[in-house]
Amino acid sequence: MIVSRRRLLGMGAAGAGGLLLGGCDALNADPAVRETLGHAEGLTMRAQRLLVGQALAREFREADMSPVFRANGSISVEDPAYRALAARGFADWQLRVDGLVQRPLALPLSAIRTMPQREQITRHDCVEGWSAIGKWQGPQLSAVLAMAGLLPAARYVVFHCADRMEGRPYYESIDLIDAFHPQTILAWRMNGQALPIAHGAPLRLRVERQLGYKHAKFVMRIELRDSLAGLYGGKGGSWEDARGYQWYAGI
Ligand SMILES: Nc1nc2c(c(=O)[nH]1)N[C@H]1C(S)=C(S)[C@@H](COP(=O)(O)O)O[C@H]1N2
Ligand SMILES: [Mo]
């Protein structure tokens, strides 16, 4: 393992010098390397981050956008409160930010739309074996967290969603490294239009260095926590609890 890690590091460095992102993408795209990074013996999340973790995900051109972007998982929400909000075009919807914060927030969509925006064309990779390239826009999650102000004990960012999975409210979580990654945004626009319900209206997470199931749709509330224990199944997300998927789904 040590030897192959060194070799990986060497490949990463070879991509540097104006082509750093291309180098990392090539590294990520190699199936053998993805396999190694994904689940090789003892290659921990920390080691993966040392290799490629802080890099940006590849960004594409408009011409690369998929003509059809599949909607997956929940494509609608049963909850009557959500349906009432949707019926009014989410005019009364508010994103709550609470838990281990200095200033709990309740942000209407108008506030989210007027914050500084990031737009990114990225590839979404679902574990079920499909990918699609789409354009996403919204404020960086880091900006929303800065508005709320984290308390020192905050370690995890939990996204509480309006839909359910196997009888429980849908949720996902990430750590502060992914939360403050520049491409981690709260997207309210997709492919130049308001986010459709099937894709998670009015707001969904884009956490571009992780697999599709981490990109929580229908986000209603963001909770800062010191631990994931005691929350639903305790594994940090609906897919983790119900299907045993990895909590850290780095790509
Ligand atoms: N709230 C919620 N978020 C979710 C899901 C879901 O079922 N509910 N499915 C996940 C999965 S498995 C994928 S691949 C993506 C699909 O996003 P899309 O519908 O925009 O393609 O959303 C993720 N986020
Ligand atoms: Mo997925």
Side-chain angles (χ1 to χ4, degrees), residues 206-220:
R206 293 299 309 171
V207 51
E208 304 290 356
R209 297 301 320 279
Q210 295 212 42
L211 287 169
Y213 65 88
K214 300 297 290 189
H215 298 232
K217 307 196 285 189
F218 318 110
V219 175
M220 306 298 281

PDB file of all heavy atoms in Angstrom, residues 206-220:
ATOM      1  N   ARG A 206     -25.278  20.745  -3.279  1.00  0.00           N
ATOM      2  CA  ARG A 206     -24.300  20.212  -4.233  1.00  0.00           C
ATOM      3  C   ARG A 206     -22.975  20.109  -3.494  1.00  0.00           C
ATOM      4  O   ARG A 206     -22.427  21.125  -3.053  1.00  0.00           O
ATOM      5  CB  ARG A 206     -24.142  21.147  -5.458  1.00  0.00           C
ATOM      6  CG  ARG A 206     -25.362  21.255  -6.348  1.00  0.00           C
ATOM      7  CD  ARG A 206     -25.804  19.967  -6.976  1.00  0.00           C
ATOM      8  NE  ARG A 206     -24.717  19.262  -7.646  1.00  0.00           N
ATOM      9  CZ  ARG A 206     -24.823  18.012  -8.120  1.00  0.00           C
ATOM     10  NH1 ARG A 206     -25.957  17.332  -8.008  1.00  0.00           N
ATOM     11  NH2 ARG A 206     -23.792  17.438  -8.702  1.00  0.00           N
ATOM     12  N   VAL A 207     -22.497  18.896  -3.321  1.00  0.00           N
ATOM     13  CA  VAL A 207     -21.236  18.661  -2.616  1.00  0.00           C
ATOM     14  C   VAL A 207     -20.389  17.853  -3.584  1.00  0.00           C
ATOM     15  O   VAL A 207     -20.415  16.633  -3.617  1.00  0.00           O
ATOM     16  CB  VAL A 207     -21.494  18.008  -1.226  1.00  0.00           C
ATOM     17  CG1 VAL A 207     -22.386  16.794  -1.297  1.00  0.00           C
ATOM     18  CG2 VAL A 207     -20.196  17.701  -0.503  1.00  0.00           C
ATOM     19  N   GLU A 208     -19.681  18.579  -4.467  1.00  0.00           N
ATOM     20  CA  GLU A 208     -19.212  18.017  -5.735  1.00  0.00           C
ATOM     21  C   GLU A 208     -18.130  16.963  -5.607  1.00  0.00           C
ATOM     22  O   GLU A 208     -17.875  16.250  -6.564  1.00  0.00           O
ATOM     23  CB  GLU A 208     -18.764  19.134  -6.671  1.00  0.00           C
ATOM     24  CG  GLU A 208     -19.824  20.204  -6.940  1.00  0.00           C
ATOM     25  CD  GLU A 208     -20.990  19.688  -7.793  1.00  0.00           C
ATOM     26  OE1 GLU A 208     -20.958  18.530  -8.245  1.00  0.00           O
ATOM     27  OE2 GLU A 208     -21.947  20.463  -7.994  1.00  0.00           O
ATOM     28  N   ARG A 209     -17.489  16.845  -4.469  1.00  0.00           N
ATOM     29  CA  ARG A 209     -16.465  15.824  -4.315  1.00  0.00           C
ATOM     30  C   ARG A 209     -17.027  14.514  -3.770  1.00  0.00           C
ATOM     31  O   ARG A 209     -16.278  13.634  -3.380  1.00  0.00           O
ATOM     32  CB  ARG A 209     -15.331  16.333  -3.407  1.00  0.00           C
ATOM     33  CG  ARG A 209     -14.568  17.541  -3.955  1.00  0.00           C
ATOM     34  CD  ARG A 209     -13.927  17.278  -5.305  1.00  0.00           C
ATOM     35  NE  ARG A 209     -13.345  15.941  -5.365  1.00  0.00           N
ATOM     36  CZ  ARG A 209     -12.162  15.619  -4.868  1.00  0.00           C
ATOM     37  NH1 ARG A 209     -11.402  16.531  -4.349  1.00  0.00           N
ATOM     38  NH2 ARG A 209     -11.724  14.383  -4.944  1.00  0.00           N
ATOM     39  N   GLN A 210     -18.369  14.411  -3.711  1.00  0.00           N
ATOM     40  CA  GLN A 210     -18.959  13.177  -3.190  1.00  0.00           C
ATOM     41  C   GLN A 210     -20.015  12.631  -4.158  1.00  0.00           C
ATOM     42  O   GLN A 210     -20.522  13.337  -5.026  1.00  0.00           O
ATOM     43  CB  GLN A 210     -19.578  13.418  -1.818  1.00  0.00           C
ATOM     44  CG  GLN A 210     -18.518  13.778  -0.762  1.00  0.00           C
ATOM     45  CD  GLN A 210     -18.860  13.287   0.630  1.00  0.00           C
ATOM     46  OE1 GLN A 210     -19.336  12.172   0.807  1.00  0.00           O
ATOM     47  NE2 GLN A 210     -18.622  14.129   1.615  1.00  0.00           N
ATOM     48  N   LEU A 211     -20.343  11.353  -3.959  1.00  0.00           N
ATOM     49  CA  LEU A 211     -21.324  10.665  -4.797  1.00  0.00           C
ATOM     50  C   LEU A 211     -22.725  11.257  -4.631  1.00  0.00           C
ATOM     51  O   LEU A 211     -23.025  11.929  -3.640  1.00  0.00           O
ATOM     52  CB  LEU A 211     -21.360   9.177  -4.430  1.00  0.00           C
ATOM     53  CG  LEU A 211     -20.146   8.361  -4.886  1.00  0.00           C
ATOM     54  CD1 LEU A 211     -20.172   6.974  -4.242  1.00  0.00           C
ATOM     55  CD2 LEU A 211     -20.121   8.230  -6.404  1.00  0.00           C
ATOM     56  N   GLY A 212     -23.588  10.911  -5.587  1.00  0.00           N
ATOM     57  CA  GLY A 212     -24.918  11.512  -5.704  1.00  0.00           C
ATOM     58  C   GLY A 212     -25.777  11.450  -4.462  1.00  0.00           C
ATOM     59  O   GLY A 212     -26.535  12.381  -4.185  1.00  0.00           O
ATOM     60  N   TYR A 213     -25.696  10.357  -3.721  1.00  0.00           N
ATOM     61  CA  TYR A 213     -26.637  10.226  -2.600  1.00  0.00           C
ATOM     62  C   TYR A 213     -26.369  11.211  -1.477  1.00  0.00           C
ATOM     63  O   TYR A 213     -27.223  11.403  -0.609  1.00  0.00           O
ATOM     64  CB  TYR A 213     -26.703   8.779  -2.087  1.00  0.00           C
ATOM     65  CG  TYR A 213     -25.449   8.207  -1.466  1.00  0.00           C
ATOM     66  CD1 TYR A 213     -25.190   8.360  -0.109  1.00  0.00           C
ATOM     67  CD2 TYR A 213     -24.542   7.474  -2.223  1.00  0.00           C
ATOM     68  CE1 TYR A 213     -24.059   7.800   0.478  1.00  0.00           C
ATOM     69  CE2 TYR A 213     -23.412   6.912  -1.655  1.00  0.00           C
ATOM     70  CZ  TYR A 213     -23.171   7.078  -0.315  1.00  0.00           C
ATOM     71  OH  TYR A 213     -22.052   6.530   0.249  1.00  0.00           O
ATOM     72  N   LYS A 214     -25.193  11.863  -1.479  1.00  0.00           N
ATOM     73  CA  LYS A 214     -24.918  12.880  -0.454  1.00  0.00           C
ATOM     74  C   LYS A 214     -25.550  14.224  -0.798  1.00  0.00           C
ATOM     75  O   LYS A 214     -25.576  15.121   0.041  1.00  0.00           O
ATOM     76  CB  LYS A 214     -23.407  13.072  -0.289  1.00  0.00           C
ATOM     77  CG  LYS A 214     -22.621  11.840   0.125  1.00  0.00           C
ATOM     78  CD  LYS A 214     -22.991  11.285   1.490  1.00  0.00           C
ATOM     79  CE  LYS A 214     -22.557  12.170   2.643  1.00  0.00           C
ATOM     80  NZ  LYS A 214     -22.739  11.478   3.952  1.00  0.00           N
ATOM     81  N   HIS A 215     -26.043  14.389  -2.045  1.00  0.00           N
ATOM     82  CA  HIS A 215     -26.529  15.704  -2.504  1.00  0.00           C
ATOM     83  C   HIS A 215     -27.996  15.893  -2.112  1.00  0.00           C
ATOM     84  O   HIS A 215     -28.895  15.788  -2.951  1.00  0.00           O
ATOM     85  CB  HIS A 215     -26.370  15.824  -4.023  1.00  0.00           C
ATOM     86  CG  HIS A 215     -24.937  15.745  -4.487  1.00  0.00           C
ATOM     87  ND1 HIS A 215     -24.380  16.690  -5.318  1.00  0.00           N
ATOM     88  CD2 HIS A 215     -23.960  14.844  -4.237  1.00  0.00           C
ATOM     89  CE1 HIS A 215     -23.117  16.375  -5.563  1.00  0.00           C
ATOM     90  NE2 HIS A 215     -22.842  15.254  -4.917  1.00  0.00           N
ATOM     91  N   ALA A 216     -28.235  16.161  -0.850  1.00  0.00           N
ATOM     92  CA  ALA A 216     -29.592  16.206  -0.301  1.00  0.00           C
ATOM     93  C   ALA A 216     -30.496  17.174  -1.064  1.00  0.00           C
ATOM     94  O   ALA A 216     -30.136  18.332  -1.289  1.00  0.00           O
ATOM     95  CB  ALA A 216     -29.536  16.601   1.171  1.00  0.00           C
ATOM     96  N   LYS A 217     -31.668  16.656  -1.442  1.00  0.00           N
ATOM     97  CA  LYS A 217     -32.687  17.468  -2.111  1.00  0.00           C
ATOM     98  C   LYS A 217     -33.742  17.908  -1.080  1.00  0.00           C
ATOM     99  O   LYS A 217     -33.774  17.397   0.026  1.00  0.00           O
ATOM    100  CB  LYS A 217     -33.367  16.660  -3.216  1.00  0.00           C
ATOM    101  CG  LYS A 217     -32.373  16.021  -4.210  1.00  0.00           C
ATOM    102  CD  LYS A 217     -33.041  15.553  -5.497  1.00  0.00           C
ATOM    103  CE  LYS A 217     -33.853  14.300  -5.363  1.00  0.00           C
ATOM    104  NZ  LYS A 217     -34.292  13.771  -6.696  1.00  0.00           N
ATOM    105  N   PHE A 218     -34.605  18.833  -1.456  1.00  0.00           N
ATOM    106  CA  PHE A 218     -35.718  19.295  -0.590  1.00  0.00           C
ATOM    107  C   PHE A 218     -35.207  19.692   0.795  1.00  0.00           C
ATOM    108  O   PHE A 218     -35.805  19.332   1.822  1.00  0.00           O
ATOM    109  CB  PHE A 218     -36.778  18.197  -0.420  1.00  0.00           C
ATOM    110  CG  PHE A 218     -37.105  17.432  -1.680  1.00  0.00           C
ATOM    111  CD1 PHE A 218     -36.719  16.101  -1.833  1.00  0.00           C
ATOM    112  CD2 PHE A 218     -37.808  18.034  -2.723  1.00  0.00           C
ATOM    113  CE1 PHE A 218     -37.027  15.391  -2.979  1.00  0.00           C
ATOM    114  CE2 PHE A 218     -38.114  17.328  -3.878  1.00  0.00           C
ATOM    115  CZ  PHE A 218     -37.717  16.002  -4.003  1.00  0.00           C
ATOM    116  N   VAL A 219     -34.112  20.445   0.865  1.00  0.00           N
ATOM    117  CA  VAL A 219     -33.535  20.788   2.173  1.00  0.00           C
ATOM    118  C   VAL A 219     -34.427  21.815   2.882  1.00  0.00           C
ATOM    119  O   VAL A 219     -34.747  22.863   2.331  1.00  0.00           O
ATOM    120  CB  VAL A 219     -32.102  21.347   2.012  1.00  0.00           C
ATOM    121  CG1 VAL A 219     -31.564  21.802   3.363  1.00  0.00           C
ATOM    122  CG2 VAL A 219     -31.184  20.297   1.403  1.00  0.00           C
ATOM    123  N   MET A 220     -34.808  21.482   4.100  1.00  0.00           N
ATOM    124  CA  MET A 220     -35.669  22.359   4.897  1.00  0.00           C
ATOM    125  C   MET A 220     -34.915  22.984   6.063  1.00  0.00           C
ATOM    126  O   MET A 220     -35.216  24.073   6.503  1.00  0.00           O
ATOM    127  CB  MET A 220     -36.853  21.566   5.476  1.00  0.00           C
ATOM    128  CG  MET A 220     -37.667  20.812   4.427  1.00  0.00           C
ATOM    129  SD  MET A 220     -38.447  21.902   3.216  1.00  0.00           S
ATOM    130  CE  MET A 220     -39.849  22.474   4.163  1.00  0.00           C
TER     131      MET A 220
END
